[in-house]
Amino acid sequence: MENKQNQIKDLEGKKALVTGGTKGIGKAIADRLAEAGATVIVTARNQPNGDINHHFIAADLTQPQDVSSLTDEIDTNFGGVDILINNVGGLTTPGGGFSALTDEHWESELQLNLISGIRLDRALLPKMIERNNGVIIHISSVAAKQALWNLNMAYAVSKAALNAYSKTLSTELAPKGVRVLTVSPGATKTPPMEKFIQDFAASAGITIEEAFNQLLGQVGGIPMGRMAEPSEVASLVHFLVSPAAAYLTGTNYAIDGGSLPVVL
Ligand SMILES: NC(=O)c1ccc[n+]([C@@H]2O[C@H](COP(=O)([O-])OP(=O)(O)OC[C@H]3O[C@@H](n4cnc5c(N)ncnc54)[C@H](OP(=O)(O)O)[C@@H]3O)[C@@H](O)[C@H]2O)c1
């Protein structure tokens, strides 16, 4: 069946910034918001190869000076944004539990998955508050709710902190007209996820299919039996930033094919 949501032009006149909008989930979100009529700005450290249909601004969001120049450029050229998708993040630290993680690992994981979004919100929020209108989405992960010590301890902690920050911020901003929401994908078919499975297979001396099944086993399996497509996460984000979601704030939406085997 044709996906009618792709054809809804409910973001005409809106300006959106998607961080990490050049690859994976971020790219799918940027494309979807543009299809819905938004003017989309994407940021990443590297200019993507090939054609890009959005305004690109290079920035490393773990660096305060890059966030300042990014927000200055956005303020000058676009007069701020109405929609901010904090998508930058990822698992960059080793598995193996507490003894495998140094101070530097903890600090870099927190910078990438937590502080980068906090810093950017702080820079872009004043204009949203001035207009009494805006939406911020924090892309978290179901990992925040899974205690898998040997796989992703620092990543899970940084995303759990992001969830707490996002909820707290939403209560401060609801009376000021700005909605704040969290989206928590489960395993999603992006290059880093595919590499993670390949590396796990190589280190365990097993096939990719066996590695996929073992990893799924550790998270209780995915009842739908497959990973999410980035475009499926983008559909959820599109809905959440749209006028149809005007009464939603402070909530965290898992999009995980039913994988978390707990009642939340
Ligand atoms: N894939 C999954 O299974 C999955 C599951 C749950 C949650 N998530 C979350 O979803 C989000 C996106 O993940 P993904 O798998 O789509 O990642 P991805 O394919 O690796 O894309 C990451 C994007 O962020 C940019 N980026 C990385 N570090 C950056 C930095 N320091 N400053 C600015 N840009 C930076 C990358 O471009 P450059 O490299 O050029 O900077 C790229 O555009 C992350 O927050 C991740 O934790 C993913």
Side-chain angles (χ1 to χ4, degrees):
M1 197 177 69
E2 202 178 344
N3 184 352
K4 292 265 190 260
Q5 197 196 2
N6 291 352
Q7 298 159 19
I8 300 174
K9 294 270 179 199
D10 51 5
L11 300 181
E12 300 254 343
K14 299 288 183 192
K15 289 168 281 186
L17 171 64
V18 182
T19 73
T22 59
K23 295 180 201 158
I25 293 171
K27 180 175 186 313
I29 295 171
D31 292 347
R32 173 58 59 83
L33 302 191
E35 277 161 24
T39 298
V40 176
I41 307 153
V42 294
T43 185
R45 290 165 301 180
N46 308 295
Q47 170 103 41
N49 298 325
D51 287 344
I52 172 155
N53 300 322
H54 315 297
H55 304 273
F56 172 78
I57 304 174
D60 180 343
L61 297 188
T62 63
Q63 303 302 317
Q65 66 278 15
D66 280 23
V67 173
S68 292
S69 50
L70 169 70
T71 49
D72 285 352
E73 197 170 331
I74 288 174
D75 283 347
T76 308
N77 295 336
F78 300 91
V81 291
D82 308 287
I83 297 167
L84 168 57
I85 314 293
N86 283 297
N87 164 73
V88 157
L91 169 59
T92 63
T93 47
F98 79 93
S99 60
L101 295 166
T102 62
D103 279 2
E104 288 72 28
H105 288 134
W106 280 102
E107 278 159 16
S108 66
E109 207 73 326
L110 287 164
Q111 274 294 337
L112 184 66
N113 289 293
L114 175 69
I115 313 287
S116 67
I118 292 176
R119 194 179 276 132
L120 193 56
D121 291 350
R122 194 169 54 224
L124 291 173
L125 263 168
K127 283 219 156 46
M128 289 187 183
I129 292 171
E130 223 173 86
R131 289 195 297 261
N132 199 37
N133 189 270
V135 192
I136 296 178
I137 306 277
H138 296 111
I139 303 293
S140 181
S141 168
V142 291
K145 298 193 175 182
Q146 292 166 327
L148 303 172
W149 66 266
N150 57 334
L151 273 187
N152 59 15
M153 188 185 277
Y155 175 69
V157 168
S158 64
K159 291 295 197 183
L162 180 67
N163 293 355
Y165 161 70
S166 189
K167 175 68 183 171
T168 311
L169 184 69
S170 75
T171 58
E172 179 182 1
L173 296 179
K176 300 178 191 227
V178 179
R179 299 189 295 114
V180 183
L181 295 148
T182 307
V183 168
S184 294
T188 307
K189 230 190 264 172
T190 61
M193 175 49 86
E194 286 172 337
K195 184 173 180 308
F196 181 65
I197 293 170
Q198 278 162 15
D199 291 350
F200 181 70
S203 68
I206 54 179
T207 66
I208 288 186
E209 200 186 343
E210 284 165 342
F212 182 62
N213 288 333
Q214 272 196 29
L215 285 168
L216 286 193
Q218 291 204 42
V219 298
I222 300 177
M224 284 196 180
R226 65 170 177 87
M227 290 199 259
E229 295 294 334
S231 61
E232 292 173 313
V233 180
S235 292
L236 173 60
V237 170
H238 175 192
F239 167 69
L240 291 174
V241 301
S242 75
Y247 195 58
L248 298 180
T249 197
T251 27
N252 180 353
Y253 298 87
I255 171 160
D256 63 354
S259 74
L260 274 182
V262 288
V263 179
L264 294 172

